[in-house]
Amino acid sequence: MRIEDVYIWDINAKWLGITPHQLMENAGAGVARVIEERFGKGLKIAVFSGTGNNGGDGFVAARHLSFDNDVTLFLVGDEVKIRSEEARHNWEILKGLDFVKIRVLKDSTYIRSLDLSGFDVIVDALLGAGTKGEPREPIRSAIEKINEYAGKAKIVSVDLPSGYPSQVQVKADFAVTFQWDKEEYGGFERVVVKIGYPKELYHLVGPGDAKFALRKKGEHKGQNGKLLIIGGSGDYYGAPYLAAKAASYLVDLVYLAMPEYPARRIADPDLIIRPIEGKNFSPGHVEELLSMAEKADAVVIGPGIGLAEETKEFVREFVKHCEKPLVIDADGLKAIAGDLSVLKGKTFILTPHTGEFGVLFGVKPEGSFQEKAELVRAKAREIGGVILLKGAYDIISDGTAWKYNRTGNRGMTTGGTGDVLAGLVGALLALGNAPLRAASAGAFLNGLAGDMVKEELGENFTALEVAEKVPHAVRWVMEF
């Protein structure tokens, strides 16, 4: 697990109804429990807290430790800077206790004159994992003060030694870290304590995944994703249009390549239409489309593209030679089902429903969603890409991890919602996300937009109404 996953899990836990208050309480209690298990009770303990959530964990640990020990809490910084509601709540509790001594150290002058020689244990809850670079004053002086007592008192850090990985860091005997070890951590001993995350969070896609996937990269047009969508045939223009419409809310530019006849029926200033000669895509169009793809960050191929033999051949040839990350959807999946070797060495996401999965792999996903997940994972590993199996629970795997998405409703069986999904997933790929995250967050946003429409209109709605709800879903995620 990485540090970034901690933030995602915290957001997703909140979505499941597990409050930040609960997590902070469990974290602080876990720290106190480890200290008493290692060093006993009746100790003189100094807790150094910063004003962030790491400091909040320290406030909780100080309260738990105060039952059987003599505790002094040193707040490093100004109490008005205690940011989060849960940290402030625990600070107010401490201030009302008569058996915890509190000292507020607003600047480094107070810190340098401190004498900690009577303390058996020093708890470092100054800085959490999100801090970058060397610590600034007055935290820096607090770290230096704690380090003067390395080897004399036991030093325990909350989550990680404050200042890590810079040169100015607490010399901890060990750190109490939460739920699982982090792959970025090294060079110090860790004791892992559980803080109440349920098993769901390993696999469930939530607003945390979407929030991280939606981060914008640049300030100028075109820096936040350019997506090419290839689809449409004969009279079919709805599917590629829905994919493009949904994507247009997430990326800067959407190029929509379609045969000229259906292309004429679209007038949307948010899209760049690229009409292609003829009624269908055929192998003669491959070069033209590959040069279009060079301008894009990702490509969606398949919505409404049809099943003419020449079109299937076009899809296989295009996929074989395209160097950009791909989302292959709908009829595009039926085209490559004849020859999955065209996927070799590519970065891609396949978005089948159960029937299309059966056509691709000769086996239908059945049983519980965990059993389906194992099958999806096995097939994703086999083909070396990501599969997003659409269903009541969408199941997504890159062959190693698997995720499932619970947003969405029965109204989304209406035609076209799969095209909206393909557009969203393609847009998230174009924003530079890894395929597993793009597919997971796309499924979440698609279902969330559908749930928002259902709230307004009941279970009878159209895919275009889902696409038009995408900006509302994005805003909800960013504000969550």
Side-chain angles (χ1 to χ4, degrees):
M1 285 293 186
R2 295 159 311 167
I3 293 166
E4 186 176 281
D5 298 317
V6 181
Y7 297 114
I8 291 173
W9 278 41
D10 280 351
I11 294 166
N12 291 351
K14 187 176 158 193
W15 185 53
L16 289 176
I18 301 157
T19 66
H21 284 277
Q22 284 170 283
L23 295 174
M24 185 171 282
E25 184 65 27
N26 293 347
V31 171
R33 189 171 62 249
V34 170
I35 288 170
E36 291 188 337
E37 280 167 5
R38 291 259 179 136
F39 310 126
K41 295 172 184 175
L43 304 166
K44 201 167 175 217
I45 300 176
V47 179
F48 279 79
S49 275
T51 54
N53 275 355
N54 193 259
D57 296 341
F59 300 154
V60 175
R63 168 162 45 85
H64 280 268
L65 288 165
S66 74
F67 193 77
D68 284 307
N69 304 282
D70 177 1
V71 176
T72 303
L73 183 111
F74 296 96
L75 178 70
V76 180
D78 193 330
E79 68 173 290
V80 300
K81 290 188 174 152
I82 296 173
R83 289 187 294 277
S84 73
E85 189 193 319
E86 53 276 15
R88 177 155 292 286
H89 172 76
N90 283 299
W91 169 247
E92 295 299 334
I93 292 173
L94 278 190
K95 286 204 301 187
L97 302 181
D98 296 317
F99 288 89
V100 175
K101 295 181 272 304
I102 291 177
R103 288 191 59 187
V104 178
L105 308 168
K106 285 191 191 173
D107 66 55
S108 42
T109 335
Y110 296 109
I111 297 166
R112 291 194 191 111
S113 59
L114 276 182
D115 178 9
L116 304 176
S117 52
F119 290 103
D120 305 300
V121 179
I122 300 170
V123 179
D124 152 37
L126 292 166
L127 295 173
T131 44
K132 304 268 188 292
E134 288 202 351
R136 293 194 291 273
E137 292 293 1
I139 298 283
R140 189 186 183 106
S141 288
I143 291 172
E144 287 163 356
K145 177 56 69 176
I146 291 169
N147 286 345
E148 284 175 29
Y149 294 85
K152 299 172 196 163
K154 295 295 179 190
I155 299 173
V156 179
S157 287
V158 175
D159 197 25
L160 79 171
S162 292
Y164 177 89
S166 80
Q167 294 302 304
V168 183
Q169 60 173 278
V170 168
K171 293 173 184 158
D173 289 276
F174 61 87
V176 179
T177 194
F178 306 122
Q179 204 73 31
W180 20 247
D181 208 358
K182 322 298 184 292
E183 63 188 46
E184 292 96 333
Y185 291 0
F188 59 95
E189 190 196 328
R190 274 114 39 219
V191 177
V192 180
V193 299
K194 292 193 176 82
I195 58 169
Y197 289 129
K199 191 175 182 176
E200 269 78 355
L201 292 176
Y202 271 115
H203 302 292
L204 184 67
V205 184
D209 303 83
K211 196 170 207 160
F212 273 76
L214 287 163
R215 286 176 302 184
K216 295 283 189 193
K217 306 287 186 296
E219 302 296 317
H220 303 290
K221 189 165 82 170
Q223 286 183 337
N224 294 308
K226 299 191 284 287
L227 179 66
L228 170 64
I229 293 176
I230 303 169
S233 57
D235 290 334
Y236 289 107
Y237 68 94
Y241 175 68
L242 287 166
K245 188 70 188 165
S248 70
Y249 294 112
L250 302 190
V251 292
D252 287 351
L253 298 168
V254 180
Y255 303 99
L256 178 49
M258 295 171 73
E260 57 192 344
Y261 183 72
R264 281 190 218 130
R265 304 176 68 174
I266 293 175
D268 188 325
D270 294 324
L271 309 176
I272 301 162
I273 311 290
R274 294 278 184 258
I276 302 299
E277 233 176 82
K279 277 191 86 164
N280 294 308
F281 287 98
S282 64
H285 295 128
V286 172
E287 287 306 314
E288 190 180 346
L289 270 301
L290 285 172
S291 68
M292 272 187 215
E294 277 173 29
K295 293 189 198 118
D297 300 303
V299 179
V300 175
I301 187 166
I305 208 163
L307 293 169
E309 274 313 315
E310 58 178 8
T311 303
K312 287 185 185 171
E313 202 183 319
F314 158 79
V315 172
R316 289 192 289 269
E317 279 302 301
F318 178 86
V319 169
K320 196 171 171 180
H321 295 99
C322 181
E323 297 300 316
K324 298 294 163 105
L326 288 154
V327 177
I328 305 171
D329 183 47
D331 293 340
L333 294 168
K334 297 190 181 89
I336 62 159
D339 183 8
L340 290 176
S341 73
V342 297
L343 299 171
K344 208 169 167 53
K346 304 289 168 197
T347 300
F348 64 89
I349 299 167
L350 308 184
T351 54
H353 53 56
T354 302
E356 289 162 341
F357 190 97
V359 171
L360 281 166
F361 302 112
V363 53
K364 277 199 174 178
E366 281 166 342
S368 70
F369 82 91
Q370 290 98 319
E371 288 168 318
K372 289 178 186 170
E374 279 312 316
L375 177 63
V376 172
R377 180 159 73 171
K379 293 302 174 189
R381 188 183 301 127
E382 223 170 84
I383 60 170
V386 167
I387 299 172
L388 192 179
L389 174 67
K390 298 180 282 202
Y393 277 6
D394 304 308
I395 295 164
I396 310 108
S397 180
D398 61 358
T400 306
W402 65 267
K403 314 275 275 178
Y404 71 105
N405 172 56
R406 306 200 298 211
T407 60
N409 57 75
R410 283 182 311 189
M412 296 182 75
T413 53
T414 184
T417 56
D419 303 307
V420 172
L421 172 65
L424 292 174
V425 173
L428 291 164
L429 259 190
L431 284 172
N433 289 291
L436 181 67
R437 176 167 287 170
S440 305
F444 180 84
L445 284 171
N446 186 50
L448 179 62
D451 289 342
M452 287 176 158
V453 177
K454 181 192 167 190
E455 220 167 272
E456 264 179 40
L457 304 176
E459 281 187 344
N460 297 326
F461 51 81
T462 67
L464 186 58
E465 284 161 329
V466 177
E468 287 168 345
K469 262 287 181 272
V470 166
H472 301 266
V474 169
R475 187 175 71 189
W476 182 88
V477 162
M478 297 318 273
E479 289 173 358
F480 187 80

